[in-house]
Amino acid sequence: MNSDPGPVPVRPRIGITAKSGGSTHPAYRPYAAAVDAAGGEPVWLEPETLAGTDPHEVLRDLDGLLLSGGVDLDPGHFGETVVPDAGVEIDPRRDAAELPLARAALDADLPVLGICRGVQMLAVAAGGSLHQDLGLIVERARHQQRLAGKDETATAHPVHIEPGSGLARAVGGGEQIVNSFHHQAVKDVPEGFVVTARSPEGTVEALEDPRRPFALGVQWHPERMVARHPAQRKLFAALVEAARARALARR
Ligand code: MN
């Protein structure tokens, strides 16, 4: 009889950014739950944890990074001033902590998944820009979640996922239905990145850099969809798998 349990599975360490106090906040818990369910070990990264640290040092201890959702980025980070009445809400400490971390992750080719604010963070970190208010480019009522009601697991609009993309390899290509809580959207796509999902009106809903092992962001909130939409779990599985490959390569 072979009782060899085999090698202990590697649980790659996945840094998850959060607002101050986010690690115990109900809105942030689903990120850690989704990473944990996918086989990763969540490591919270709040602005206080990151203040005064060298982002490359922080990342040396991690195998992957999840840039989570939250309030808007300061338009100053992409060379604009705040558009009046655009409803821009900023957390300067969080921006100051996360932007260098996102840039360092791209520098180091660390597997990184951006979600909502996180895809916007990825775009800006790589040199892109944002529309400060969705209402400036689309009929907001058609695009945002309010039509879907208060159920946060409910979906709001379809996206077309580019066949053959990394995103399609993770969750499937073609039409998918997603939730939509964002107030901003990616405007200028940074060099090297490609748009791999769009809403029917053309809003950028996902970006990735095919040159990197795993650098991908989505504008929806897969962590709130995993219970009812199992395909979305595969996004976290793809991050964890890329992080595990990196962890094993470094041993
Ligand atoms: Mn959307």
Side-chain angles (χ1 to χ4, degrees):
M1 248 205 284
N2 182 6
S3 59
D4 180 2
V8 178
V10 175
R11 281 180 73 80
R13 289 167 60 81
I14 310 291
I16 306 178
T17 60
K19 70 172 183 179
S20 182
S23 60
T24 55
H25 192 282
Y28 287 83
R29 216 168 290 145
Y31 296 106
V35 164
D36 180 65
E41 186 190 332
V43 178
W44 287 110
L45 301 170
E46 293 186 13
E48 290 76 9
T49 327
L50 295 169
T53 60
D54 173 347
H56 288 93
E57 281 295 322
V58 173
L59 297 181
R60 205 157 293 155
D61 204 33
L62 299 170
D63 306 304
L65 179 66
L66 194 165
L67 299 167
S68 71
V71 297
D72 302 320
L73 266 84
D74 184 340
H77 294 303
F78 47 92
E80 293 186 13
T81 52
V82 174
V83 171
D85 304 321
V88 176
E89 193 188 334
I90 295 166
D91 179 346
R93 288 180 71 200
R94 201 176 162 187
D95 283 356
E98 283 182 16
L99 258 177
L101 199 65
R103 292 197 175 110
L106 290 173
D107 275 353
D109 270 345
L110 191 79
V112 54
L113 172 64
I115 292 179
C116 202
R117 166 189 164 91
V119 67
Q120 298 169 4
M121 178 65 67
L122 262 186
V124 172
S129 70
L130 308 177
H131 293 288
Q132 291 188 34
D133 183 10
L134 211 48
L136 298 169
I137 53 163
V138 297
E139 195 186 329
R140 199 203 314 261
R142 283 182 58 203
H143 195 93
Q144 283 181 327
Q145 193 77 13
R146 61 189 70 165
L147 285 190
K150 286 193 169 162
D151 178 0
E152 292 204 334
T153 69
T155 47
H157 67 73
V159 289
H160 177 79
I161 298 176
E162 220 35 70
S165 63
L167 180 59
R169 282 195 295 282
V171 303
E175 291 284 307
Q176 303 240 357
I177 187 102
V178 298
N179 55 16
S180 193
F181 296 100
H182 51 119
H183 158 244
Q184 301 192 326
V186 172
K187 183 162 65 180
D188 295 309
V189 176
E191 190 266 317
F193 278 78
V194 289
V195 176
T196 51
R198 283 188 193 273
S199 73
E201 328 87 82
T203 307
V204 173
E205 291 278 339
L207 281 185
E208 61 189 79
D209 183 345
R211 303 167 305 179
R212 293 193 157 92
F214 190 91
L216 192 160
V218 295
Q219 189 58 75
W220 60 92
H221 278 278
E223 83 287 357
R224 300 188 200 175
M225 294 178 67
V226 288
R228 280 168 57 178
H229 303 271
Q232 298 294 328
R233 293 175 200 163
K234 296 179 188 166
L235 211 42
F236 298 95
L239 169 66
V240 169
E241 190 188 322
R244 182 178 289 126
R246 184 180 176 92
L248 290 169
R250 290 203 308 180
R251 286 184 173 187

